[in-house]
Amino acid sequence: MSPEVKPDSLLNAEGLRFDGRRVDELRPIQMEVGVLKTADGSASIRQGKTYILAAVYGPRELHPRHLTLNDRAYLRVVYRMATFSVPDRKRPAPSRREREISMVIANALQPVLFLEQYPKAVIDVFIQVIQADGGTRCAAINAASLALADAGIPMRSLVPSVAVGKAEGTLIVDLGDEEDKYGQGDVPLAILPGTNELTLLQQDGSFTREELMEAMQMGVNACKYLHELQKDALKRSYSKKTPEGVDEELDDYEDDLETDLGEADIMEDE
Amino acid sequence: MTGSKIISHIDRDFVKDLLSKGERLDGRAFDKYREITIEPHVVPAKAEGSAIVRIGGSSVVAGVKVLTGAPYPDTPDQGVTMVTAELAPMASPLFELGPPKEPAIELARIVDRGVRESETLDTKALCIEPGKMVYMVFADVYTLEHDGNLIDASSIAVNAALLGTKYQEMKWEDDKAVATGKELSLPLQNMAIEHTVSRIGDHLVIDPILREEFVQDCRLTMAVDKDEHFTAMQKGGGAGPMSLEMIDQAMGMALESAKEIRKLITDTMKSTE
C-alpha cells in the first residue's frame, strides 16, 4: 500500500494537476462487460486507481415481499465498499454513506429503465468497490449501466457519469482521491446522453452560480466521451466471439485509453 | 446459472449414477481440483496485500489491512489477526442481502481457524510495545462468483494476500507509534491451506462444483500446513454422517493436492515480488 501524502499543490504554475493531468482530462479508464459468470449481467471499471465491479440480477421475484410494487419493478441498488478499499479499514457493516449512495445511484439509473414492464419484480444491481480512489459513485454508475445492458434489460440509453471539482479556484474534471479530499468542492453528475438531462447531481464545497454552470457543462462534455467508451466496451464484449476480430478489437481499445477530452469531439463526429 | 436451491430427485439420481460410473459432471477425476489461478496485488493502492483467486467458475477477492491498535488484555505482547468473509449477493442468486447468515459466518470462521490454528503469523513478532500497541492484521474476503467450494478459494486467497503483504514498520516513541519509513513483510512461519471434500452417497469428491454441493450429504474441510499436518477441520454442508474410513480417505485426498496448491501460491507470489 502506498502511504497517503498530502500534495503541496493540486495545480501547478503550468495549469497541470498534481498527477500531470490537464484540468479537463479524465484518468485512464478501462471498462469491461461480462466479467462475472454467475450474474445475469456484469461489468467492471478501472478509473485511475478506482476499481469497481457491478452485477445485475433480474427481473426476478422480489424478497422480502412487502417491498413489492404493483405497477412496476423495484430497482434495488446496493453500493458497498470492501473493507480494504480505503486507506483505513472500513467497518464491514453498511454505513449511512453507502446507503445514501445506493439511493442516488438508483435514482440516476431509473430514468433509462422500463420498470413499468415488470410489475412486482425486482431488478438487483450490486456494486462492490474493490479499491476506492475518488469518484466511486460516478464510476459505479458507469459500470452499473453496462451491467444492466449486459443483463439484457431494455434501456433507453446507457448512463455516463463523472465528478467535476475545484482546486486552487480552477474547475477540474474527474477528481482523484487527493483532489476530493484537499480540493475546494465536488459536483458528481450523471446524464441521459440523448437529451443531456442530469439524473444525478450532488454538490459539496463552495461554488459561484457561474462556476456551477461551467462545472456542469464540463461534466456533460466528459460524460459524452464516457458514453462513447461505454458503448465501445459493450460492443467489444459481444464481438469478441469471432476469433479474428479479437486482436483488432483489443488494439482499437488501447487507443481509447488516451482519455483526453479532445478526442471526444472527434469520436462524436463519426 | 442456478436460480434456486431446490434440486430435483432426478438431478440427484443423475449425479449419483454418474459417480457410481466413476464420472463427475464436469469430467474431472474424483481427486482433482479445477484449474486454480491467483491474481496477486489487485488492490495495490489501498490494501497492504490482496489477491483474486479463481477455482473453475468460483472467484473471490481477499484484501489485507494492517493497522495498529491496543492488544487484547490477556495477550498484551501479541498482535491481532482476524479473517472475515461476506457471501455477497453479487456472487450468486442464492445469497441474500442483509447481515451475514450462518453460511457466511461459517466460511469466515473456517478460514480464520486455518490461519489461527496453524499459527500462520508469529503474533509475538506483531507486537510494537507490550500492553500498548500491536499490529492488527485483518484479512477480508468477498465472494465474486459462486460455483462451489468457496472455502478453498477463500483460504487460498487469504494466504496469497498475507504472503504478498507489505506494511509500514512502526516503533514506540514518546508514548506513541511513529512510522520508521521501513517496509516489512508479515512474520509468516507456517501456512495452512483448506481442502474441501464432498460426500455424495458412497463417493468422495474434492473441490465440489455448485451442483455437487446441492446433492452432497456433507462436506469435510481440512487445513493442511507446511509439515502436512492437519491444523483445522470442519464437517458441514449437510447433516450426513461420515465413516472413519471415509474421513481417512478424504484426508488422503487433501494431502495429495496440498503440495501442489501450496507451490502454486508461493510461486505466484514470489514471481510478483
Side-chain angles (χ1 to χ4, degrees), chain B residues 8 29 44 46 66 88 98 130 153 160 245 251 253:
Chain B
S8 69
K46 302 286 164 174
V66 181
E245 290 77 34
M251 291 199 288
M253 289 165 83

mmCIF file of all heavy atoms in Angstrom, chain B residues 8 29 44 46 66 88 98 130 153 160 245 251 253:
data_model
loop_
_atom_site.group_PDB
_atom_site.id
_atom_site.type_symbol
_atom_site.label_atom_id
_atom_site.label_comp_id
_atom_site.label_asym_id
_atom_site.label_seq_id
_atom_site.Cartn_x
_atom_site.Cartn_y
_atom_site.Cartn_z
ATOM 1 N N SER B 8 -34.000 -31.343 -8.176
ATOM 2 C CA SER B 8 -34.968 -32.421 -8.321
ATOM 3 C C SER B 8 -34.339 -33.754 -7.956
ATOM 4 O O SER B 8 -33.129 -33.932 -7.988
ATOM 5 C CB SER B 8 -35.486 -32.465 -9.757
ATOM 6 O OG SER B 8 -34.448 -32.889 -10.602
ATOM 7 N N ALA B 29 -11.488 -36.113 -12.513
ATOM 8 C CA ALA B 29 -11.291 -37.237 -11.617
ATOM 9 C C ALA B 29 -11.773 -36.821 -10.226
ATOM 10 O O ALA B 29 -11.822 -35.634 -9.919
ATOM 11 C CB ALA B 29 -9.818 -37.626 -11.578
ATOM 12 N N PRO B 44 -3.532 -2.583 -5.139
ATOM 13 C CA PRO B 44 -2.191 -2.141 -4.749
ATOM 14 C C PRO B 44 -2.161 -0.784 -4.059
ATOM 15 O O PRO B 44 -1.269 -0.535 -3.252
ATOM 16 C CB PRO B 44 -1.425 -2.095 -6.072
ATOM 17 C CG PRO B 44 -2.477 -1.931 -7.104
ATOM 18 C CD PRO B 44 -3.684 -2.651 -6.590
ATOM 19 N N LYS B 46 -4.468 0.701 -2.010
ATOM 20 C CA LYS B 46 -5.125 0.900 -0.716
ATOM 21 C C LYS B 46 -4.916 -0.250 0.266
ATOM 22 O O LYS B 46 -4.959 -0.034 1.471
ATOM 23 C CB LYS B 46 -6.626 1.112 -0.909
ATOM 24 C CG LYS B 46 -6.978 2.279 -1.797
ATOM 25 C CD LYS B 46 -6.762 3.626 -1.135
ATOM 26 C CE LYS B 46 -6.761 4.722 -2.186
ATOM 27 N NZ LYS B 46 -6.700 6.061 -1.632
ATOM 28 N N VAL B 66 -3.321 -3.830 7.464
ATOM 29 C CA VAL B 66 -2.507 -3.903 8.671
ATOM 30 C C VAL B 66 -2.650 -2.564 9.393
ATOM 31 O O VAL B 66 -2.240 -1.529 8.880
ATOM 32 C CB VAL B 66 -1.031 -4.186 8.342
ATOM 33 C CG1 VAL B 66 -0.222 -4.284 9.632
ATOM 34 C CG2 VAL B 66 -0.905 -5.465 7.532
ATOM 35 N N ALA B 88 -21.388 -12.201 -0.748
ATOM 36 C CA ALA B 88 -22.058 -11.062 -1.365
ATOM 37 C C ALA B 88 -23.117 -11.537 -2.348
ATOM 38 O O ALA B 88 -22.887 -12.494 -3.088
ATOM 39 C CB ALA B 88 -21.025 -10.202 -2.078
ATOM 40 N N GLY B 98 -28.443 -8.470 3.502
ATOM 41 C CA GLY B 98 -28.692 -8.431 4.928
ATOM 42 C C GLY B 98 -27.487 -8.865 5.719
ATOM 43 O O GLY B 98 -26.458 -9.205 5.151
ATOM 44 N N PRO B 130 4.634 -3.847 24.238
ATOM 45 C CA PRO B 130 3.747 -4.725 25.011
ATOM 46 C C PRO B 130 2.734 -3.930 25.834
ATOM 47 O O PRO B 130 3.070 -2.951 26.485
ATOM 48 C CB PRO B 130 4.720 -5.486 25.924
ATOM 49 C CG PRO B 130 6.028 -5.448 25.203
ATOM 50 C CD PRO B 130 6.051 -4.151 24.455
ATOM 51 N N ALA B 153 -11.290 -21.607 -2.088
ATOM 52 C CA ALA B 153 -10.912 -20.395 -2.818
ATOM 53 C C ALA B 153 -10.556 -19.279 -1.834
ATOM 54 O O ALA B 153 -9.556 -18.572 -2.004
ATOM 55 C CB ALA B 153 -12.062 -19.953 -3.724
ATOM 56 N N ALA B 160 -2.539 -16.182 0.006
ATOM 57 C CA ALA B 160 -1.772 -15.465 -1.025
ATOM 58 C C ALA B 160 -1.651 -13.991 -0.654
ATOM 59 O O ALA B 160 -0.580 -13.388 -0.764
ATOM 60 C CB ALA B 160 -2.452 -15.629 -2.385
ATOM 61 N N GLU B 245 -13.502 -44.590 7.798
ATOM 62 C CA GLU B 245 -12.799 -44.936 6.552
ATOM 63 C C GLU B 245 -12.891 -43.775 5.564
ATOM 64 O O GLU B 245 -11.929 -43.440 4.888
ATOM 65 C CB GLU B 245 -13.406 -46.196 5.914
ATOM 66 C CG GLU B 245 -13.144 -47.493 6.651
ATOM 67 C CD GLU B 245 -14.034 -47.638 7.888
ATOM 68 O OE1 GLU B 245 -15.197 -47.170 7.845
ATOM 69 O OE2 GLU B 245 -13.557 -48.165 8.903
ATOM 70 N N MET B 251 -8.828 -37.381 3.991
ATOM 71 C CA MET B 251 -7.556 -36.801 4.403
ATOM 72 C C MET B 251 -6.465 -37.120 3.383
ATOM 73 O O MET B 251 -5.628 -36.278 3.065
ATOM 74 C CB MET B 251 -7.175 -37.303 5.801
ATOM 75 C CG MET B 251 -8.098 -36.760 6.879
ATOM 76 S SD MET B 251 -7.423 -36.836 8.537
ATOM 77 C CE MET B 251 -7.496 -38.577 8.851
ATOM 78 N N MET B 253 -6.953 -37.552 0.211
ATOM 79 C CA MET B 253 -7.184 -36.713 -0.978
ATOM 80 C C MET B 253 -6.650 -35.300 -0.734
ATOM 81 O O MET B 253 -6.065 -34.678 -1.627
ATOM 82 C CB MET B 253 -8.682 -36.662 -1.292
ATOM 83 C CG MET B 253 -9.233 -37.971 -1.837
ATOM 84 S SD MET B 253 -11.046 -38.040 -1.782
ATOM 85 C CE MET B 253 -11.474 -37.157 -3.284
#
